[in-house]
mmCIF file with all atom_site columns, all heavy atoms in Angstrom:
data_model
loop_
_atom_site.group_PDB
_atom_site.id
_atom_site.type_symbol
_atom_site.label_atom_id
_atom_site.label_alt_id
_atom_site.label_comp_id
_atom_site.label_asym_id
_atom_site.label_entity_id
_atom_site.label_seq_id
_atom_site.pdbx_PDB_ins_code
_atom_site.Cartn_x
_atom_site.Cartn_y
_atom_site.Cartn_z
_atom_site.occupancy
_atom_site.B_iso_or_equiv
_atom_site.pdbx_formal_charge
_atom_site.auth_seq_id
_atom_site.auth_comp_id
_atom_site.auth_asym_id
_atom_site.auth_atom_id
_atom_site.pdbx_PDB_model_num
ATOM 1   N N   . ARG A 1 28  ? -8.362 188.869 17.437 1.00 95.00 ? 28  ARG A N   1
ATOM 2   C CA  . ARG A 1 28  ? -7.159 188.046 17.535 1.00 95.00 ? 28  ARG A CA  1
ATOM 3   C C   . ARG A 1 28  ? -7.174 187.129 18.772 1.00 95.00 ? 28  ARG A C   1
ATOM 4   O O   . ARG A 1 28  ? -6.260 186.345 18.961 1.00 95.00 ? 28  ARG A O   1
ATOM 5   C CB  . ARG A 1 28  ? -5.906 188.925 17.588 1.00 95.00 ? 28  ARG A CB  1
ATOM 6   C CG  . ARG A 1 28  ? -5.698 189.809 16.360 1.00 95.00 ? 28  ARG A CG  1
ATOM 7   C CD  . ARG A 1 28  ? -4.406 190.610 16.477 1.00 95.00 ? 28  ARG A CD  1
ATOM 8   N NE  . ARG A 1 28  ? -4.193 191.463 15.321 1.00 95.00 ? 28  ARG A NE  1
ATOM 9   C CZ  . ARG A 1 28  ? -4.589 192.738 15.242 1.00 95.00 ? 28  ARG A CZ  1
ATOM 10  N NH1 . ARG A 1 28  ? -5.219 193.295 16.262 1.00 95.00 ? 28  ARG A NH1 1
ATOM 11  N NH2 . ARG A 1 28  ? -4.352 193.436 14.150 1.00 95.00 ? 28  ARG A NH2 1
ATOM 12  N N   . ASP A 1 93  ? -6.106 197.339 11.165 1.00 91.00 ? 93  ASP A N   1
ATOM 13  C CA  . ASP A 1 93  ? -4.683 197.265 10.823 1.00 91.00 ? 93  ASP A CA  1
ATOM 14  C C   . ASP A 1 93  ? -4.171 195.865 11.136 1.00 91.00 ? 93  ASP A C   1
ATOM 15  O O   . ASP A 1 93  ? -4.468 195.326 12.202 1.00 91.00 ? 93  ASP A O   1
ATOM 16  C CB  . ASP A 1 93  ? -3.891 198.312 11.612 1.00 91.00 ? 93  ASP A CB  1
ATOM 17  C CG  . ASP A 1 93  ? -2.508 198.555 11.027 1.00 91.00 ? 93  ASP A CG  1
ATOM 18  O OD1 . ASP A 1 93  ? -1.644 197.686 11.208 1.00 91.00 ? 93  ASP A OD1 1
ATOM 19  O OD2 . ASP A 1 93  ? -2.284 199.605 10.405 1.00 91.00 ? 93  ASP A OD2 1
ATOM 20  N N   . SER A 1 94  ? -3.412 195.283 10.234 1.00 90.00 ? 94  SER A N   1
ATOM 21  C CA  . SER A 1 94  ? -2.869 193.938 10.451 1.00 90.00 ? 94  SER A CA  1
ATOM 22  C C   . SER A 1 94  ? -1.533 193.964 11.168 1.00 90.00 ? 94  SER A C   1
ATOM 23  O O   . SER A 1 94  ? -1.114 192.948 11.746 1.00 90.00 ? 94  SER A O   1
ATOM 24  C CB  . SER A 1 94  ? -2.712 193.211 9.107  1.00 90.00 ? 94  SER A CB  1
ATOM 25  O OG  . SER A 1 94  ? -1.796 193.915 8.265  1.00 90.00 ? 94  SER A OG  1
ATOM 26  N N   . LEU A 1 95  ? -0.850 195.096 11.155 1.00 92.00 ? 95  LEU A N   1
ATOM 27  C CA  . LEU A 1 95  ? 0.477  195.194 11.764 1.00 92.00 ? 95  LEU A CA  1
ATOM 28  C C   . LEU A 1 95  ? 0.408  195.694 13.201 1.00 92.00 ? 95  LEU A C   1
ATOM 29  O O   . LEU A 1 95  ? 1.035  195.143 14.101 1.00 92.00 ? 95  LEU A O   1
ATOM 30  C CB  . LEU A 1 95  ? 1.365  196.125 10.931 1.00 92.00 ? 95  LEU A CB  1
ATOM 31  C CG  . LEU A 1 95  ? 2.783  196.356 11.447 1.00 92.00 ? 95  LEU A CG  1
ATOM 32  C CD1 . LEU A 1 95  ? 3.573  195.055 11.450 1.00 92.00 ? 95  LEU A CD1 1
ATOM 33  C CD2 . LEU A 1 95  ? 3.491  197.412 10.601 1.00 92.00 ? 95  LEU A CD2 1
ATOM 34  N N   . VAL A 1 96  ? -0.371 196.756 13.427 1.00 94.00 ? 96  VAL A N   1
ATOM 35  C CA  . VAL A 1 96  ? -0.504 197.346 14.764 1.00 94.00 ? 96  VAL A CA  1
ATOM 36  C C   . VAL A 1 96  ? -1.619 196.641 15.516 1.00 94.00 ? 96  VAL A C   1
ATOM 37  O O   . VAL A 1 96  ? -2.712 196.445 14.980 1.00 94.00 ? 96  VAL A O   1
ATOM 38  C CB  . VAL A 1 96  ? -0.799 198.855 14.662 1.00 94.00 ? 96  VAL A CB  1
ATOM 39  C CG1 . VAL A 1 96  ? -1.004 199.450 16.051 1.00 94.00 ? 96  VAL A CG1 1
ATOM 40  C CG2 . VAL A 1 96  ? 0.336  199.567 13.954 1.00 94.00 ? 96  VAL A CG2 1
ATOM 41  N N   . HIS A 1 97  ? -1.358 196.251 16.765 1.00 96.00 ? 97  HIS A N   1
ATOM 42  C CA  . HIS A 1 97  ? -2.343 195.514 17.552 1.00 96.00 ? 97  HIS A CA  1
ATOM 43  C C   . HIS A 1 97  ? -2.856 196.286 18.763 1.00 96.00 ? 97  HIS A C   1
ATOM 44  O O   . HIS A 1 97  ? -3.946 196.019 19.249 1.00 96.00 ? 97  HIS A O   1
ATOM 45  C CB  . HIS A 1 97  ? -1.736 194.195 18.043 1.00 96.00 ? 97  HIS A CB  1
ATOM 46  C CG  . HIS A 1 97  ? -1.255 193.315 16.941 1.00 96.00 ? 97  HIS A CG  1
ATOM 47  N ND1 . HIS A 1 97  ? -0.494 192.187 17.166 1.00 96.00 ? 97  HIS A ND1 1
ATOM 48  C CD2 . HIS A 1 97  ? -1.422 193.396 15.598 1.00 96.00 ? 97  HIS A CD2 1
ATOM 49  C CE1 . HIS A 1 97  ? -0.209 191.606 16.008 1.00 96.00 ? 97  HIS A CE1 1
ATOM 50  N NE2 . HIS A 1 97  ? -0.762 192.325 15.051 1.00 96.00 ? 97  HIS A NE2 1
ATOM 51  N N   . PHE A 1 110 ? 1.973  199.190 19.330 1.00 97.00 ? 110 PHE A N   1
ATOM 52  C CA  . PHE A 1 110 ? 2.608  197.905 19.607 1.00 97.00 ? 110 PHE A CA  1
ATOM 53  C C   . PHE A 1 110 ? 2.071  196.808 18.696 1.00 97.00 ? 110 PHE A C   1
ATOM 54  O O   . PHE A 1 110 ? 0.935  196.857 18.227 1.00 97.00 ? 110 PHE A O   1
ATOM 55  C CB  . PHE A 1 110 ? 2.354  197.478 21.060 1.00 97.00 ? 110 PHE A CB  1
ATOM 56  C CG  . PHE A 1 110 ? 3.142  198.249 22.077 1.00 97.00 ? 110 PHE A CG  1
ATOM 57  C CD1 . PHE A 1 110 ? 2.694  199.478 22.535 1.00 97.00 ? 110 PHE A CD1 1
ATOM 58  C CD2 . PHE A 1 110 ? 4.332  197.736 22.585 1.00 97.00 ? 110 PHE A CD2 1
ATOM 59  C CE1 . PHE A 1 110 ? 3.415  200.185 23.492 1.00 97.00 ? 110 PHE A CE1 1
ATOM 60  C CE2 . PHE A 1 110 ? 5.056  198.439 23.535 1.00 97.00 ? 110 PHE A CE2 1
ATOM 61  C CZ  . PHE A 1 110 ? 4.601  199.666 23.985 1.00 97.00 ? 110 PHE A CZ  1
ATOM 62  N N   . SER A 1 111 ? 2.920  195.788 18.525 1.00 96.00 ? 111 SER A N   1
ATOM 63  C CA  . SER A 1 111 ? 2.531  194.549 17.868 1.00 96.00 ? 111 SER A CA  1
ATOM 64  C C   . SER A 1 111 ? 2.824  193.395 18.822 1.00 96.00 ? 111 SER A C   1
ATOM 65  O O   . SER A 1 111 ? 3.688  193.512 19.697 1.00 96.00 ? 111 SER A O   1
ATOM 66  C CB  . SER A 1 111 ? 3.315  194.347 16.564 1.00 96.00 ? 111 SER A CB  1
ATOM 67  O OG  . SER A 1 111 ? 3.038  193.077 16.004 1.00 96.00 ? 111 SER A OG  1
ATOM 68  N N   . THR A 1 112 ? 2.108  192.284 18.656 1.00 96.00 ? 112 THR A N   1
ATOM 69  C CA  . THR A 1 112 ? 2.374  191.097 19.470 1.00 96.00 ? 112 THR A CA  1
ATOM 70  C C   . THR A 1 112 ? 3.121  190.034 18.665 1.00 96.00 ? 112 THR A C   1
ATOM 71  O O   . THR A 1 112 ? 3.192  188.883 19.083 1.00 96.00 ? 112 THR A O   1
ATOM 72  C CB  . THR A 1 112 ? 1.066  190.494 20.004 1.00 96.00 ? 112 THR A CB  1
ATOM 73  O OG1 . THR A 1 112 ? 0.227  190.116 18.900 1.00 96.00 ? 112 THR A OG1 1
ATOM 74  C CG2 . THR A 1 112 ? 0.333  191.477 20.903 1.00 96.00 ? 112 THR A CG2 1
ATOM 75  N N   . ARG A 1 113 ? 3.671  190.419 17.531 1.00 93.00 ? 113 ARG A N   1
ATOM 76  C CA  . ARG A 1 113 ? 4.420  189.471 16.707 1.00 93.00 ? 113 ARG A CA  1
ATOM 77  C C   . ARG A 1 113 ? 5.820  190.002 16.422 1.00 93.00 ? 113 ARG A C   1
ATOM 78  O O   . ARG A 1 113 ? 6.050  191.210 16.389 1.00 93.00 ? 113 ARG A O   1
ATOM 79  C CB  . ARG A 1 113 ? 3.705  189.210 15.384 1.00 93.00 ? 113 ARG A CB  1
ATOM 80  C CG  . ARG A 1 113 ? 2.299  188.655 15.543 1.00 93.00 ? 113 ARG A CG  1
ATOM 81  C CD  . ARG A 1 113 ? 1.770  188.149 14.222 1.00 93.00 ? 113 ARG A CD  1
ATOM 82  N NE  . ARG A 1 113 ? 0.364  187.772 14.350 1.00 93.00 ? 113 ARG A NE  1
ATOM 83  C CZ  . ARG A 1 113 ? -0.642 188.529 13.967 1.00 93.00 ? 113 ARG A CZ  1
ATOM 84  N NH1 . ARG A 1 113 ? -0.412 189.708 13.441 1.00 93.00 ? 113 ARG A NH1 1
ATOM 85  N NH2 . ARG A 1 113 ? -1.886 188.119 14.110 1.00 93.00 ? 113 ARG A NH2 1
ATOM 86  N N   . ARG A 1 127 ? 6.030  194.300 21.066 1.00 97.00 ? 127 ARG A N   1
ATOM 87  C CA  . ARG A 1 127 ? 7.079  195.023 20.347 1.00 97.00 ? 127 ARG A CA  1
ATOM 88  C C   . ARG A 1 127 ? 6.585  196.410 19.961 1.00 97.00 ? 127 ARG A C   1
ATOM 89  O O   . ARG A 1 127 ? 5.556  196.555 19.315 1.00 97.00 ? 127 ARG A O   1
ATOM 90  C CB  . ARG A 1 127 ? 7.474  194.236 19.099 1.00 97.00 ? 127 ARG A CB  1
ATOM 91  C CG  . ARG A 1 127 ? 8.602  194.825 18.286 1.00 97.00 ? 127 ARG A CG  1
ATOM 92  C CD  . ARG A 1 127 ? 9.105  193.789 17.284 1.00 97.00 ? 127 ARG A CD  1
ATOM 93  N NE  . ARG A 1 127 ? 8.067  193.387 16.348 1.00 97.00 ? 127 ARG A NE  1
ATOM 94  C CZ  . ARG A 1 127 ? 7.927  193.895 15.106 1.00 97.00 ? 127 ARG A CZ  1
ATOM 95  N NH1 . ARG A 1 127 ? 8.748  194.840 14.690 1.00 97.00 ? 127 ARG A NH1 1
ATOM 96  N NH2 . ARG A 1 127 ? 6.964  193.450 14.313 1.00 97.00 ? 127 ARG A NH2 1
ATOM 97  N N   . LEU A 1 129 ? 6.368  199.541 17.831 1.00 96.00 ? 129 LEU A N   1
ATOM 98  C CA  . LEU A 1 129 ? 6.598  199.799 16.414 1.00 96.00 ? 129 LEU A CA  1
ATOM 99  C C   . LEU A 1 129 ? 6.818  201.267 16.099 1.00 96.00 ? 129 LEU A C   1
ATOM 100 O O   . LEU A 1 129 ? 7.618  201.616 15.223 1.00 96.00 ? 129 LEU A O   1
ATOM 101 C CB  . LEU A 1 129 ? 5.400  199.305 15.594 1.00 96.00 ? 129 LEU A CB  1
ATOM 102 C CG  . LEU A 1 129 ? 5.046  197.825 15.659 1.00 96.00 ? 129 LEU A CG  1
ATOM 103 C CD1 . LEU A 1 129 ? 3.770  197.580 14.861 1.00 96.00 ? 129 LEU A CD1 1
ATOM 104 C CD2 . LEU A 1 129 ? 6.179  196.976 15.134 1.00 96.00 ? 129 LEU A CD2 1
ATOM 105 N N   . PRO A 1 181 ? 1.107  204.063 11.858 1.00 56.00 ? 181 PRO A N   1
ATOM 106 C CA  . PRO A 1 181 ? 2.446  204.132 11.261 1.00 56.00 ? 181 PRO A CA  1
ATOM 107 C C   . PRO A 1 181 ? 2.435  203.960 9.753  1.00 56.00 ? 181 PRO A C   1
ATOM 108 O O   . PRO A 1 181 ? 3.227  204.580 9.050  1.00 56.00 ? 181 PRO A O   1
ATOM 109 C CB  . PRO A 1 181 ? 3.180  202.968 11.942 1.00 56.00 ? 181 PRO A CB  1
ATOM 110 C CG  . PRO A 1 181 ? 2.462  202.770 13.226 1.00 56.00 ? 181 PRO A CG  1
ATOM 111 C CD  . PRO A 1 181 ? 1.030  203.102 12.943 1.00 56.00 ? 181 PRO A CD  1
ATOM 112 N N   . ALA A 1 182 ? 1.548  203.102 9.235  1.00 55.00 ? 182 ALA A N   1
ATOM 113 C CA  . ALA A 1 182 ? 1.514  202.825 7.798  1.00 55.00 ? 182 ALA A CA  1
ATOM 114 C C   . ALA A 1 182 ? 0.522  203.712 7.058  1.00 55.00 ? 182 ALA A C   1
ATOM 115 O O   . ALA A 1 182 ? 0.273  203.519 5.877  1.00 55.00 ? 182 ALA A O   1
ATOM 116 C CB  . ALA A 1 182 ? 1.163  201.358 7.562  1.00 55.00 ? 182 ALA A CB  1
#
Side-chain angles (χ1 to χ4, degrees):
R28 299 182 180 93
D93 196 286
S94 61
L95 179 63
V96 177
H97 302 170
F110 286 83
S111 174
T112 60
R113 301 192 187 100
R127 183 167 61 98
L129 300 176

